[in-house]
Amino acid sequence: AAIDGLEDDGSPVMTALAFGYVEAAEALARRGARIDNVLAAAALGRVDLVRDLVAEGGAVAPSLVSLYWLRLSSDPRSHVERAFVWACAFGRTKVVELLLEQGVDPAATDDDGMTGLHWAAGRAHLDVVRLLTERGAPLEVRNRWGGTVLDSTVYFAVQDRAGWPDYAATLELLLEAGADVRAATYPTGNEAVDELLERHGARESGPA
């Protein structure tokens, strides 16, 4: 099999990561797939490669992702910002910290308007959420569906009942950081989620 894709463009790894199949991407990397762009390196937690690819101030070395369906511009900065969002989404705390130190904007979003904090909280990556809130990542930015970080995380928490302990801690962390509880959909029909939101002052006036 062409582990780097029929066009030798790294599409198997990038496709796995774009759809959230990180274990498949990791398996491809173990089998020898090239990790030669900043998005893949960040999503896989390869701090060493990210450090080599990203220069002081957030510029990225040549080796841009060319896959058209990722809808990335030719501006290297857009590649670093997407790498940051992916690192947040996959819980790569050390990569997130490195990119922040290199000047990447913590408010950077993907095509759906999801910030790194949207994704980190939505997947209950507590260490990343804590880091981002400490670094001033915006809480009230709305994604394409109108969800703030808190509202988006409430949605993910309701969908993933098995992950509730981590989601409870994530929601508490967001609220302690100043997230507006009025922005969260309430009630959700999930007793545990509703109890937590109500304890923080939620009323039945959230978005429809």
PDB file of all heavy atoms in Angstrom, residues 8 14 21 30 34 50 58 74 79 85 99-100 104 110 112 115 117 122 131-132 138 154 167 174 184-185:
ATOM      1  N   ASP A   8       1.622  10.682  -3.276  1.00  0.00           N
ATOM      2  CA  ASP A   8       2.783  10.917  -2.413  1.00  0.00           C
ATOM      3  C   ASP A   8       2.685  12.252  -1.679  1.00  0.00           C
ATOM      4  O   ASP A   8       3.665  12.982  -1.533  1.00  0.00           O
ATOM      5  CB  ASP A   8       4.080  10.867  -3.235  1.00  0.00           C
ATOM      6  CG  ASP A   8       5.315  10.691  -2.341  1.00  0.00           C
ATOM      7  OD1 ASP A   8       5.216   9.981  -1.319  1.00  0.00           O
ATOM      8  OD2 ASP A   8       6.359  11.285  -2.653  1.00  0.00           O
ATOM      9  N   MET A  14      -3.085  12.647   6.888  1.00  0.00           N
ATOM     10  CA  MET A  14      -3.856  13.872   7.026  1.00  0.00           C
ATOM     11  C   MET A  14      -5.357  13.600   7.058  1.00  0.00           C
ATOM     12  O   MET A  14      -6.103  14.260   7.785  1.00  0.00           O
ATOM     13  CB  MET A  14      -3.513  14.834   5.889  1.00  0.00           C
ATOM     14  CG  MET A  14      -2.060  15.276   5.883  1.00  0.00           C
ATOM     15  SD  MET A  14      -1.541  16.030   7.452  1.00  0.00           S
ATOM     16  CE  MET A  14      -2.536  17.516   7.436  1.00  0.00           C
ATOM     17  N   TYR A  21      -9.298  10.436  13.632  1.00  0.00           N
ATOM     18  CA  TYR A  21      -8.845   9.060  13.872  1.00  0.00           C
ATOM     19  C   TYR A  21      -7.347   9.057  14.206  1.00  0.00           C
ATOM     20  O   TYR A  21      -6.509   8.616  13.420  1.00  0.00           O
ATOM     21  CB  TYR A  21      -9.136   8.187  12.663  1.00  0.00           C
ATOM     22  CG  TYR A  21     -10.601   8.085  12.341  1.00  0.00           C
ATOM     23  CD1 TYR A  21     -11.095   8.472  11.090  1.00  0.00           C
ATOM     24  CD2 TYR A  21     -11.513   7.612  13.295  1.00  0.00           C
ATOM     25  CE1 TYR A  21     -12.443   8.391  10.800  1.00  0.00           C
ATOM     26  CE2 TYR A  21     -12.862   7.532  13.007  1.00  0.00           C
ATOM     27  CZ  TYR A  21     -13.330   7.919  11.760  1.00  0.00           C
ATOM     28  OH  TYR A  21     -14.666   7.833  11.472  1.00  0.00           O
ATOM     29  N   ARG A  30       3.930   5.027  12.686  1.00  0.00           N
ATOM     30  CA  ARG A  30       4.807   3.930  13.138  1.00  0.00           C
ATOM     31  C   ARG A  30       5.267   3.068  11.971  1.00  0.00           C
ATOM     32  O   ARG A  30       6.359   2.496  12.009  1.00  0.00           O
ATOM     33  CB  ARG A  30       4.080   3.069  14.172  1.00  0.00           C
ATOM     34  CG  ARG A  30       3.929   3.708  15.535  1.00  0.00           C
ATOM     35  CD  ARG A  30       3.542   2.678  16.584  1.00  0.00           C
ATOM     36  NE  ARG A  30       2.279   2.017  16.277  1.00  0.00           N
ATOM     37  CZ  ARG A  30       1.092   2.451  16.646  1.00  0.00           C
ATOM     38  NH1 ARG A  30       0.987   3.579  17.353  1.00  0.00           N
ATOM     39  NH2 ARG A  30      -0.010   1.784  16.328  1.00  0.00           N
ATOM     40  N   ARG A  34       5.471   9.584   6.268  1.00  0.00           N
ATOM     41  CA  ARG A  34       6.222  10.816   6.521  1.00  0.00           C
ATOM     42  C   ARG A  34       5.389  11.781   7.360  1.00  0.00           C
ATOM     43  O   ARG A  34       4.201  11.974   7.119  1.00  0.00           O
ATOM     44  CB  ARG A  34       6.565  11.521   5.205  1.00  0.00           C
ATOM     45  CG  ARG A  34       7.549  10.792   4.329  1.00  0.00           C
ATOM     46  CD  ARG A  34       8.103  11.740   3.260  1.00  0.00           C
ATOM     47  NE  ARG A  34       7.051  12.531   2.642  1.00  0.00           N
ATOM     48  CZ  ARG A  34       6.329  12.129   1.587  1.00  0.00           C
ATOM     49  NH1 ARG A  34       6.542  10.926   1.067  1.00  0.00           N
ATOM     50  NH2 ARG A  34       5.403  12.920   1.074  1.00  0.00           N
ATOM     51  N   VAL A  50       7.813  19.923  15.399  1.00  0.00           N
ATOM     52  CA  VAL A  50       7.168  21.237  15.397  1.00  0.00           C
ATOM     53  C   VAL A  50       8.208  22.320  15.653  1.00  0.00           C
ATOM     54  O   VAL A  50       8.220  23.359  14.987  1.00  0.00           O
ATOM     55  CB  VAL A  50       6.040  21.304  16.446  1.00  0.00           C
ATOM     56  CG1 VAL A  50       5.473  22.722  16.532  1.00  0.00           C
ATOM     57  CG2 VAL A  50       4.932  20.316  16.108  1.00  0.00           C
ATOM     58  N   GLY A  58       6.466  32.356  14.920  1.00  0.00           N
ATOM     59  CA  GLY A  58       5.367  31.604  14.336  1.00  0.00           C
ATOM     60  C   GLY A  58       5.439  31.382  12.842  1.00  0.00           C
ATOM     61  O   GLY A  58       4.492  30.884  12.243  1.00  0.00           O
ATOM     62  N   SER A  74      -2.116  29.727   1.007  1.00  0.00           N
ATOM     63  CA  SER A  74      -0.673  29.567   0.837  1.00  0.00           C
ATOM     64  C   SER A  74       0.113  30.361   1.871  1.00  0.00           C
ATOM     65  O   SER A  74       1.339  30.321   1.888  1.00  0.00           O
ATOM     66  CB  SER A  74      -0.252  30.003  -0.575  1.00  0.00           C
ATOM     67  OG  SER A  74      -0.616  31.361  -0.790  1.00  0.00           O
ATOM     68  N   HIS A  79      -1.162  27.755   8.256  1.00  0.00           N
ATOM     69  CA  HIS A  79      -0.797  26.369   8.549  1.00  0.00           C
ATOM     70  C   HIS A  79      -0.416  26.218  10.023  1.00  0.00           C
ATOM     71  O   HIS A  79      -0.780  25.233  10.666  1.00  0.00           O
ATOM     72  CB  HIS A  79       0.347  25.927   7.642  1.00  0.00           C
ATOM     73  CG  HIS A  79      -0.039  25.856   6.201  1.00  0.00           C
ATOM     74  ND1 HIS A  79      -0.078  24.672   5.491  1.00  0.00           N
ATOM     75  CD2 HIS A  79      -0.428  26.822   5.334  1.00  0.00           C
ATOM     76  CE1 HIS A  79      -0.461  24.916   4.252  1.00  0.00           C
ATOM     77  NE2 HIS A  79      -0.680  26.213   4.128  1.00  0.00           N
ATOM     78  N   VAL A  85      -4.664  24.556  16.440  1.00  0.00           N
ATOM     79  CA  VAL A  85      -6.010  24.061  16.721  1.00  0.00           C
ATOM     80  C   VAL A  85      -6.008  22.537  16.810  1.00  0.00           C
ATOM     81  O   VAL A  85      -6.622  21.956  17.715  1.00  0.00           O
ATOM     82  CB  VAL A  85      -7.011  24.551  15.655  1.00  0.00           C
ATOM     83  CG1 VAL A  85      -8.379  23.901  15.851  1.00  0.00           C
ATOM     84  CG2 VAL A  85      -7.141  26.077  15.701  1.00  0.00           C
ATOM     85  N   LEU A  99       3.771  26.411  20.666  1.00  0.00           N
ATOM     86  CA  LEU A  99       3.218  27.318  19.659  1.00  0.00           C
ATOM     87  C   LEU A  99       2.783  28.641  20.276  1.00  0.00           C
ATOM     88  O   LEU A  99       2.934  29.700  19.653  1.00  0.00           O
ATOM     89  CB  LEU A  99       2.068  26.634  18.925  1.00  0.00           C
ATOM     90  CG  LEU A  99       2.483  25.457  18.021  1.00  0.00           C
ATOM     91  CD1 LEU A  99       1.268  24.770  17.423  1.00  0.00           C
ATOM     92  CD2 LEU A  99       3.430  25.930  16.919  1.00  0.00           C
ATOM     93  N   LEU A 100       2.253  28.595  21.478  1.00  0.00           N
ATOM     94  CA  LEU A 100       1.911  29.843  22.165  1.00  0.00           C
ATOM     95  C   LEU A 100       3.173  30.670  22.411  1.00  0.00           C
ATOM     96  O   LEU A 100       3.177  31.893  22.230  1.00  0.00           O
ATOM     97  CB  LEU A 100       1.199  29.550  23.484  1.00  0.00           C
ATOM     98  CG  LEU A 100      -0.250  29.048  23.372  1.00  0.00           C
ATOM     99  CD1 LEU A 100      -0.742  28.608  24.753  1.00  0.00           C
ATOM    100  CD2 LEU A 100      -1.172  30.120  22.797  1.00  0.00           C
ATOM    101  N   VAL A 104       1.777  32.191  18.378  1.00  0.00           N
ATOM    102  CA  VAL A 104       0.531  31.840  17.700  1.00  0.00           C
ATOM    103  C   VAL A 104      -0.656  32.391  18.492  1.00  0.00           C
ATOM    104  O   VAL A 104      -0.686  32.314  19.729  1.00  0.00           O
ATOM    105  CB  VAL A 104       0.411  30.308  17.537  1.00  0.00           C
ATOM    106  CG1 VAL A 104      -0.934  29.928  16.926  1.00  0.00           C
ATOM    107  CG2 VAL A 104       1.545  29.794  16.664  1.00  0.00           C
ATOM    108  N   ASP A 110     -10.502  27.015  13.209  1.00  0.00           N
ATOM    109  CA  ASP A 110     -10.543  26.204  11.995  1.00  0.00           C
ATOM    110  C   ASP A 110     -11.680  26.703  11.107  1.00  0.00           C
ATOM    111  O   ASP A 110     -12.269  27.753  11.365  1.00  0.00           O
ATOM    112  CB  ASP A 110     -10.672  24.709  12.333  1.00  0.00           C
ATOM    113  CG  ASP A 110     -11.968  24.365  13.058  1.00  0.00           C
ATOM    114  OD1 ASP A 110     -12.910  25.191  13.075  1.00  0.00           O
ATOM    115  OD2 ASP A 110     -12.046  23.248  13.614  1.00  0.00           O
ATOM    116  N   ASP A 112     -14.636  25.791  10.846  1.00  0.00           N
ATOM    117  CA  ASP A 112     -15.933  25.813  11.511  1.00  0.00           C
ATOM    118  C   ASP A 112     -15.993  26.850  12.626  1.00  0.00           C
ATOM    119  O   ASP A 112     -16.945  26.864  13.411  1.00  0.00           O
ATOM    120  CB  ASP A 112     -16.256  24.426  12.085  1.00  0.00           C
ATOM    121  CG  ASP A 112     -16.545  23.407  10.988  1.00  0.00           C
ATOM    122  OD1 ASP A 112     -17.195  23.786  10.002  1.00  0.00           O
ATOM    123  OD2 ASP A 112     -16.112  22.252  11.114  1.00  0.00           O
ATOM    124  N   THR A 115     -12.227  27.350  17.962  1.00  0.00           N
ATOM    125  CA  THR A 115     -10.906  27.700  18.459  1.00  0.00           C
ATOM    126  C   THR A 115     -10.236  26.457  19.063  1.00  0.00           C
ATOM    127  O   THR A 115     -10.878  25.418  19.262  1.00  0.00           O
ATOM    128  CB  THR A 115     -10.997  28.776  19.549  1.00  0.00           C
ATOM    129  OG1 THR A 115     -11.720  28.226  20.676  1.00  0.00           O
ATOM    130  CG2 THR A 115     -11.706  30.022  19.052  1.00  0.00           C
ATOM    131  N   LEU A 117      -9.482  26.242  22.093  1.00  0.00           N
ATOM    132  CA  LEU A 117     -10.164  26.010  23.366  1.00  0.00           C
ATOM    133  C   LEU A 117     -11.507  25.317  23.158  1.00  0.00           C
ATOM    134  O   LEU A 117     -11.894  24.475  23.978  1.00  0.00           O
ATOM    135  CB  LEU A 117     -10.351  27.336  24.110  1.00  0.00           C
ATOM    136  CG  LEU A 117     -10.928  27.251  25.529  1.00  0.00           C
ATOM    137  CD1 LEU A 117     -10.150  26.278  26.399  1.00  0.00           C
ATOM    138  CD2 LEU A 117     -10.958  28.641  26.175  1.00  0.00           C
ATOM    139  N   GLY A 122     -14.032  20.584  24.347  1.00  0.00           N
ATOM    140  CA  GLY A 122     -14.995  19.641  23.785  1.00  0.00           C
ATOM    141  C   GLY A 122     -14.548  18.200  23.872  1.00  0.00           C
ATOM    142  O   GLY A 122     -15.372  17.284  23.852  1.00  0.00           O
ATOM    143  N   LEU A 131      -4.168  25.380  30.433  1.00  0.00           N
ATOM    144  CA  LEU A 131      -3.118  26.191  29.817  1.00  0.00           C
ATOM    145  C   LEU A 131      -3.721  27.339  29.011  1.00  0.00           C
ATOM    146  O   LEU A 131      -3.292  28.495  29.127  1.00  0.00           O
ATOM    147  CB  LEU A 131      -2.247  25.313  28.914  1.00  0.00           C
ATOM    148  CG  LEU A 131      -1.201  26.026  28.056  1.00  0.00           C
ATOM    149  CD1 LEU A 131      -0.181  26.739  28.927  1.00  0.00           C
ATOM    150  CD2 LEU A 131      -0.513  25.020  27.124  1.00  0.00           C
ATOM    151  N   LEU A 132      -4.731  27.035  28.215  1.00  0.00           N
ATOM    152  CA  LEU A 132      -5.318  28.056  27.347  1.00  0.00           C
ATOM    153  C   LEU A 132      -6.037  29.138  28.136  1.00  0.00           C
ATOM    154  O   LEU A 132      -5.943  30.325  27.808  1.00  0.00           O
ATOM    155  CB  LEU A 132      -6.274  27.407  26.346  1.00  0.00           C
ATOM    156  CG  LEU A 132      -5.619  26.523  25.282  1.00  0.00           C
ATOM    157  CD1 LEU A 132      -6.674  25.799  24.468  1.00  0.00           C
ATOM    158  CD2 LEU A 132      -4.715  27.350  24.365  1.00  0.00           C
ATOM    159  N   PRO A 138      -9.843  33.218  24.300  1.00  0.00           N
ATOM    160  CA  PRO A 138     -11.206  33.752  24.407  1.00  0.00           C
ATOM    161  C   PRO A 138     -12.224  32.668  24.710  1.00  0.00           C
ATOM    162  O   PRO A 138     -12.174  31.577  24.151  1.00  0.00           O
ATOM    163  CB  PRO A 138     -11.451  34.383  23.036  1.00  0.00           C
ATOM    164  CG  PRO A 138     -10.524  33.651  22.111  1.00  0.00           C
ATOM    165  CD  PRO A 138      -9.308  33.332  22.930  1.00  0.00           C
ATOM    166  N   VAL A 154     -20.808  21.790  26.638  1.00  0.00           N
ATOM    167  CA  VAL A 154     -22.046  21.199  27.151  1.00  0.00           C
ATOM    168  C   VAL A 154     -22.602  20.197  26.133  1.00  0.00           C
ATOM    169  O   VAL A 154     -23.017  19.088  26.492  1.00  0.00           O
ATOM    170  CB  VAL A 154     -23.085  22.295  27.462  1.00  0.00           C
ATOM    171  CG1 VAL A 154     -24.477  21.691  27.647  1.00  0.00           C
ATOM    172  CG2 VAL A 154     -22.672  23.068  28.706  1.00  0.00           C
ATOM    173  N   TYR A 167     -15.637  15.766  31.837  1.00  0.00           N
ATOM    174  CA  TYR A 167     -16.414  16.907  31.353  1.00  0.00           C
ATOM    175  C   TYR A 167     -16.870  17.789  32.514  1.00  0.00           C
ATOM    176  O   TYR A 167     -16.906  19.023  32.388  1.00  0.00           O
ATOM    177  CB  TYR A 167     -17.612  16.441  30.532  1.00  0.00           C
ATOM    178  CG  TYR A 167     -17.250  16.119  29.107  1.00  0.00           C
ATOM    179  CD1 TYR A 167     -17.284  14.817  28.626  1.00  0.00           C
ATOM    180  CD2 TYR A 167     -16.845  17.135  28.238  1.00  0.00           C
ATOM    181  CE1 TYR A 167     -16.935  14.528  27.320  1.00  0.00           C
ATOM    182  CE2 TYR A 167     -16.485  16.851  26.932  1.00  0.00           C
ATOM    183  CZ  TYR A 167     -16.538  15.545  26.473  1.00  0.00           C
ATOM    184  OH  TYR A 167     -16.180  15.266  25.183  1.00  0.00           O
ATOM    185  N   LEU A 174     -13.963  25.982  33.015  1.00  0.00           N
ATOM    186  CA  LEU A 174     -14.394  27.065  32.135  1.00  0.00           C
ATOM    187  C   LEU A 174     -15.185  28.122  32.903  1.00  0.00           C
ATOM    188  O   LEU A 174     -14.995  29.333  32.706  1.00  0.00           O
ATOM    189  CB  LEU A 174     -15.241  26.507  30.990  1.00  0.00           C
ATOM    190  CG  LEU A 174     -14.523  25.618  29.976  1.00  0.00           C
ATOM    191  CD1 LEU A 174     -15.529  25.017  28.998  1.00  0.00           C
ATOM    192  CD2 LEU A 174     -13.453  26.400  29.217  1.00  0.00           C
ATOM    193  N   ALA A 184     -24.862  28.975  27.676  1.00  0.00           N
ATOM    194  CA  ALA A 184     -25.005  27.517  27.552  1.00  0.00           C
ATOM    195  C   ALA A 184     -26.462  27.121  27.384  1.00  0.00           C
ATOM    196  O   ALA A 184     -27.353  27.663  28.035  1.00  0.00           O
ATOM    197  CB  ALA A 184     -24.436  26.832  28.791  1.00  0.00           C
ATOM    198  N   THR A 185     -26.705  26.183  26.502  1.00  0.00           N
ATOM    199  CA  THR A 185     -28.044  25.620  26.346  1.00  0.00           C
ATOM    200  C   THR A 185     -28.472  24.987  27.669  1.00  0.00           C
ATOM    201  O   THR A 185     -27.732  24.184  28.244  1.00  0.00           O
ATOM    202  CB  THR A 185     -28.053  24.556  25.244  1.00  0.00           C
ATOM    203  OG1 THR A 185     -27.664  25.169  24.008  1.00  0.00           O
ATOM    204  CG2 THR A 185     -29.427  23.932  25.096  1.00  0.00           C
TER     205      THR A 185
END
